[in-house]
Amino acid sequence: MDDFYISDKVLRLIRERLEELQLSMMAGNFISLEDYRSAVGEVRGLTFIEGYIIKLREKSGESDND
């Protein structure tokens, strides 16, 4: 497997999880404030990692085709 294949798969997993969290937030599916805060933290972390992977791919000459 090459780096592009791996980074593409990781980006897809990150984006799927972000979508799940965003849908849950919009639907109001969190029972407590702690659950909501945890989800917000997860979104922030995943968004940071997503951006970091995209920057690394750009530096290596690969593009984000999604």
Side-chain angles (χ1 to χ4, degrees):
M1 284 187 230
D2 64 348
D3 292 338
F4 180 78
Y5 176 81
I6 293 169
S7 66
D8 189 52
K9 294 297 180 186
V10 171
L11 281 175
R12 286 184 188 194
L13 290 171
I14 288 171
R15 290 172 179 162
E16 286 174 10
R17 181 61 181 153
L18 284 170
E19 186 175 341
E20 290 172 7
L21 289 166
Q22 290 167 350
L23 290 172
S24 289
M25 286 178 179
M26 288 188 295
N29 291 340
F30 297 103
I31 297 171
S32 67
L33 183 59
E34 291 80 21
D35 291 340
Y36 178 78
R37 285 182 178 169
S38 176
V40 169
E42 189 174 348
V43 167
R44 286 180 180 164
L46 289 171
T47 302
F48 174 80
I49 296 299
E50 178 187 35
Y52 191 70
I53 291 170
I54 290 169
K55 285 180 185 179
L56 287 174
R57 287 172 59 158
E58 288 171 355
K59 285 182 180 180
S60 70
E62 298 170 350
S63 64
D64 186 21
N65 296 326
D66 292 342

